Amino acid sequence: MAEVYAARRERVRERCTAGGSATALVTRPANVRYLAGAAPRGAVLLLGRGEDLLLCGSPPSGEAGEGRPDEAVAVRVLPRAGGDPAVAAADVAVARGAESLAVEEHHLTVTRHRAIGSVAPRLRLADLGGAVEQLRVVKDEEEISCLRIAAEIADQALGELLESILVGRTERHLALELERRLVDHGADGPAFATSVGTGPNSGRRGHRPTDRRVEEGDFLSVCLGATYRGYRCEIGRTFVIGTSPAGWQIELYDLVFAAQRAGRESLTPGAAYRDVDRAARQVLDSAGHTEGLPPMTGHGVGLEIDEDPQLAPAAMGKLDACVPVTVEPGVHLPGRGGVRIDDTLVVRPEADGGPELLTITTKELLAL
Amino acid sequence: MAEVYAARRERVRERCTAGGSATALVTRPANVRYLAGAAPRGAVLLLGRGEDLLLCGSPPSGEAGEGRPDEAVAVRVLPRAGGDPAVAAADVAVARGAESLAVEEHHLTVTRHRAIGSVAPRLRLADLGGAVEQLRVVKDEEEISCLRIAAEIADQALGELLESILVGRTERHLALELERRLVDHGADGPAFATSVGTGPNSGRRGHRPTDRRVEEGDFLSVCLGATYRGYRCEIGRTFVIGTSPAGWQIELYDLVFAAQRAGRESLTPGAAYRDVDRAARQVLDSAGHTEGLPPMTGHGVGLEIDEDPQLAPAAMGKLDACVPVTVEPGVHLPGRGGVRIDDTLVVRPEADGGPELLTITTKELLAL
């Protein structure tokens, strides 16, 4: 793994040098972890001119959830109450003779940026922009295998829930039970707050579980994900409670299923992000569901649950092979509920069999 | 409650006007919630010159965990893919004729700050600083009663855990079970990631639960908290597993207990933050535990779990009445484990009986 981290840091250094800065300061936690192997709380990474340096407020714990720092990176733990590691890093950059420092302006607050400027008034502060986020879009096979395991764990947790009795239990309890099962099966933890929605709450994106209990005749939507070695996946399914779904439920489910399939089938290397979004969206649009649709059909996943690319109407760019994304269209009818279906897939060329589905729980409409 | 929110917003307006800006933009979620009653994801609050306006990317859900917007605040939901609500708010400020806008520079990123500047180039951007955070330090009785309920919930969850069998269970399972019990007892959710540490992991601040199982003879430290109507409390206790604690365990426990008591007893209106810290710290220092002590003895709690004030060696300022804080000294001996004892208390004048202890679980050394 050491070479992998070193190669990633080398690419960031090349980008900086091309942009006129020989030195870069990475502060966004997922970016620090991507480049250094671990991101203890508050840690920042200084790259270029001398050895790569991870500055932290407390020593790395070495726990599975946090990752282990790459051995080629020097680690410096600031003394107790040593202040902001980013400011300390700027100090080091100056001591090493740097004239310019590229920082992550989309992550640093105005106050921190100013503090760096005051400790190092002669240092020219440039913008690293989303350089590290862009590197993170295409995953290597090691990363994809972490995502695959994360998806297996989420499938297992969801599968076990479906075997239990659901009627009468609250959204909150179902969500907590799913999170316990994720950990049972080896997850570092949930990838995001598990969403469970029943009846009128079903089908709402990011719905926070309430005390509403599952009733006969409800739609039940569940969205969960596991984190495995830092990598986060996502799966969402909608079920119907009781022996026979109503006509409107079958119709709505079939529609969202068709939209989700259209989105999945459009995942090929070279496809424009917005075309994947449109493939799914136009199925819903043409059935008259133009209002209240989510702003995007899917997004990248990796060290963060919601990372580049966005599969949205105004997104610019094209898919590459080895990019994992979600495809998660949904429709919510106010007062009645709705349907969401959400998979994590990896874009693969057709010669390799097309998109690789990581979350394999069935998408038939199950009546539970 | 409506008058409470209006009065809070009026105080912010006064602070802004005194600072030369008649208009303020509040972006930090806990600050938005404090002033507007609710903070839907990404929502920002524009104050001054015309009605107070809450701008959100999606409609407020009205769920318990999110709060309900104060009716005196106008709510504007941006159209789908409507961009950053903070930028939209700056647009409104300009349309209302504002010349200057005070923003939260410690919360806004450089990139967002710049986007506001570009959409409104003639608007002078000032710094609101921690004005809202400072208002939040002293709580009203309504807020304290939410904290009191949050503490009761945490006490109940912890009490039930102590009645169950612990040996052989992993840190992760114990943490998840505690979180389930918090929700069982009516919490919106955990106030922060529950920490459970056994054996060599015990006594570490912020320890992330691992798969280590509880063994006979271990110290077991637990730190958890509930959120109730947005308000977050914290409790931490250390227990010993088995029938009879070892001599070093009793000695270490008594020491940390004495330090924690000294901290609690120094909580009076007018006491300097650093003196509370010193009261607890010097007990540990004088026993030779100068290395590896946590950077602070305690901190404020409220809408965030870690808010002002900090009870730390270099902290400036004095306690007021009705300020809820934690007192949480601890000692961790590498390879052996340690002890942490953590309470949430409200500062009260001696005439009112002195500090009010919210987390009432016993601090005797229990052998479980």
Side-chain angles (χ1 to χ4, degrees):
Chain A
M1 276 305 288
E3 321 80 71
V4 172
Y5 294 119
R8 291 173 182 170
R9 293 194 299 274
E10 187 54 33
R11 289 181 69 186
V12 176
R13 255 192 299 266
E14 283 162 12
R15 289 286 294 269
C16 285
T17 311
S21 294
T23 314
L25 176 61
V26 180
T27 52
R28 184 171 179 156
N31 291 347
V32 173
R33 178 157 186 171
Y34 183 73
L35 298 173
R41 199 193 307 189
V44 305
L45 180 66
L46 182 69
L47 296 180
R49 286 190 175 262
E51 62 187 352
D52 296 331
L53 182 62
L54 185 71
L55 293 107
C56 342
S58 50
S61 71
E63 289 159 21
E66 183 179 294
R68 278 176 194 283
D70 176 19
E71 289 177 8
V73 169
V75 177
R76 182 180 303 179
V77 179
L78 299 187
R80 169 153 55 114
D84 183 346
V87 172
D91 233 4
V92 173
V94 170
R96 290 180 176 179
E99 288 167 3
S100 154
L101 180 67
V103 301
E104 299 191 295
E105 292 189 349
H106 59 295
H107 177 259
L108 278 184
T109 65
V110 176
T111 303
R112 290 182 84 189
H113 192 264
R114 188 166 296 146
I116 293 172
S118 349
V119 78
R122 296 208 183 141
L123 199 61
R124 190 172 58 83
L125 295 183
D127 187 10
L128 184 57
V132 186
E133 284 86 349
Q134 283 166 41
L135 284 184
R136 285 169 43 201
V137 168
V138 174
K139 269 72 176 176
D140 63 30
E141 288 303 324
E142 181 77 25
E143 295 180 280
I144 291 173
S145 97
C146 290
L147 284 167
R148 204 177 282 124
I149 295 171
E152 276 175 24
I153 293 171
D155 277 322
Q156 285 173 322
L158 183 56
E160 288 172 0
L161 187 81
L162 300 186
E163 288 168 13
S164 65
I165 290 179
L166 299 169
V167 172
R169 296 170 71 193
T170 70
E171 293 172 358
R172 290 216 263 197
H173 276 101
L174 293 176
L176 281 163
E177 177 165 336
L178 282 166
E179 295 190 354
R180 184 177 61 78
R181 290 184 188 277
L182 291 173
V183 173
D184 275 347
H185 289 291
D188 304 337
F192 53 91
T194 299
S195 176
V196 175
T198 66
N201 299 332
S202 59
R204 286 180 57 201
R205 183 169 200 258
H207 171 71
R208 296 195 217 184
T210 71
D211 288 327
R212 190 182 186 287
R213 290 176 193 278
V214 176
E215 294 173 13
E216 285 283 330
D218 276 356
F219 266 141
L220 169 69
S221 345
V222 174
C223 187
L224 75 157
T227 309
Y228 183 76
R229 296 195 181 163
Y231 283 83
R232 294 161 194 264
C233 74
E234 186 174 323
I235 179 171
R237 292 290 185 268
T238 299
F239 311 100
V240 71
I241 304 298
T243 44
S244 54
W248 72 274
Q249 290 178 318
I250 295 174
E251 204 174 308
L252 192 62
Y253 192 91
D254 287 349
L255 178 72
V256 174
F257 178 83
Q260 206 253 359
R261 184 176 57 199
R264 278 187 282 121
E265 289 177 351
S266 68
L267 293 178
T268 53
Y273 301 152
R274 59 172 60 171
D275 289 344
V276 177
D277 177 75
R278 188 166 50 217
R281 192 176 295 277
Q282 70 187 7
V283 175
L284 305 178
D285 274 349
S286 65
H289 293 288
T290 48
E291 283 300 302
L293 294 187
M296 64 176 95
T297 293
H299 54 79
V301 295
L303 288 169
E304 291 174 286
I305 189 57
D306 194 349
E307 53 177 63
D308 291 334
Q310 290 198 342
L311 306 178
M316 302 289 288
K318 291 179 177 181
L319 287 174
D320 279 310
C322 301
V323 175
V325 293
T326 66
V327 177
E328 45 173 314
V331 172
H332 176 256
L333 306 176
R336 299 177 77 187
V339 176
R340 283 173 54 76
I341 304 174
D342 184 350
D343 279 313
T344 301
L345 306 97
V346 182
V347 177
R348 303 279 193 189
E350 211 172 326
D352 293 351
E356 177 187 351
L357 182 67
L358 300 189
T359 44
I360 60 169
T361 297
T362 181
K363 286 185 283 282
E364 279 180 88
L365 176 53
L366 298 184
L368 303 174
Chain B
M1 275 307 285
E3 319 82 70
V4 172
Y5 294 119
R8 291 174 182 170
R9 293 195 300 274
E10 187 53 35
R11 290 181 69 184
V12 176
R13 256 192 298 266
E14 283 162 13
R15 289 284 295 268
C16 285
T17 312
S21 293
T23 315
L25 176 61
V26 180
T27 50
R28 185 170 177 156
N31 291 347
V32 173
R33 178 156 187 173
Y34 183 74
L35 298 173
R41 200 193 307 188
V44 305
L45 179 66
L46 182 68
L47 295 180
R49 289 190 173 261
E51 62 187 354
D52 296 333
L53 183 62
L54 185 70
L55 294 107
C56 341
S58 50
S61 71
E63 290 159 20
E66 183 179 292
R68 278 176 194 283
D70 176 19
E71 288 178 7
V73 169
V75 177
R76 183 179 301 179
V77 179
L78 300 187
R80 170 153 53 114
D84 183 347
V87 173
D91 233 4
V92 174
V94 170
R96 290 180 177 180
E99 289 168 2
S100 154
L101 180 67
V103 301
E104 298 191 294
E105 291 189 349
H106 59 295
H107 177 258
L108 279 183
T109 65
V110 176
T111 303
R112 289 181 84 190
H113 192 264
R114 190 167 293 147
I116 293 173
S118 351
V119 79
R122 296 210 185 140
L123 199 61
R124 191 171 57 82
L125 294 183
D127 187 8
L128 184 58
V132 187
E133 284 85 350
Q134 283 166 39
L135 285 184
R136 284 169 44 200
V137 169
V138 175
K139 270 71 176 177
D140 64 31
E141 287 303 323
E142 181 77 24
E143 295 180 279
I144 291 173
S145 96
C146 290
L147 284 168
R148 204 177 283 125
I149 295 171
E152 275 174 24
I153 293 171
D155 276 321
Q156 286 172 321
L158 184 56
E160 289 172 359
L161 188 81
L162 299 188
E163 288 169 11
S164 65
I165 290 179
L166 299 169
V167 171
R169 295 169 72 193
T170 70
E171 294 172 357
R172 291 218 261 199
H173 276 100
L174 293 176
L176 282 162
E177 178 166 337
L178 283 165
E179 295 190 354
R180 185 177 61 76
R181 291 185 186 274
L182 292 173
V183 173
D184 276 347
H185 288 291
D188 305 338
F192 54 91
T194 299
S195 176
V196 175
T198 66
N201 299 331
S202 59
R204 285 180 58 201
R205 183 168 200 258
H207 171 72
R208 297 195 216 184
T210 70
D211 288 327
R212 190 182 185 284
R213 291 178 193 277
V214 177
E215 293 174 13
E216 285 283 331
D218 275 356
F219 266 139
L220 169 69
S221 347
V222 174
C223 187
L224 76 156
T227 308
Y228 183 77
R229 296 196 182 162
Y231 283 83
R232 293 160 195 264
C233 74
E234 186 172 323
I235 179 172
R237 293 290 184 268
T238 300
F239 311 101
V240 72
I241 304 298
T243 45
S244 53
W248 72 274
Q249 291 178 318
I250 295 174
E251 202 175 311
L252 192 62
Y253 192 90
D254 288 348
L255 178 72
V256 174
F257 179 82
Q260 206 253 359
R261 185 175 57 197
R264 280 188 280 120
E265 290 177 350
S266 67
L267 292 177
T268 52
Y273 301 151
R274 60 172 61 170
D275 289 345
V276 177
D277 178 75
R278 190 168 47 216
R281 192 176 298 275
Q282 71 188 7
V283 175
L284 305 179
D285 274 350
S286 66
H289 293 288
T290 48
E291 283 300 303
L293 293 187
M296 64 176 95
T297 293
H299 54 78
V301 296
L303 288 169
E304 292 175 285
I305 190 56
D306 194 348
E307 53 178 62
D308 291 334
Q310 290 199 343
L311 306 178
M316 302 290 287
K318 290 178 177 182
L319 287 173
D320 280 309
C322 300
V323 175
V325 293
T326 66
V327 177
E328 46 174 312
V331 172
H332 176 257
L333 306 177
R336 301 177 76 187
V339 176
R340 281 173 54 78
I341 305 175
D342 184 350
D343 280 312
T344 301
L345 306 98
V346 181
V347 178
R348 303 278 193 191
E350 210 172 326
D352 293 352
E356 178 187 352
L357 182 67
L358 299 188
T359 44
I360 60 169
T361 297
T362 182
K363 287 185 283 282
E364 279 179 88
L365 176 54
L366 297 183
L368 303 173

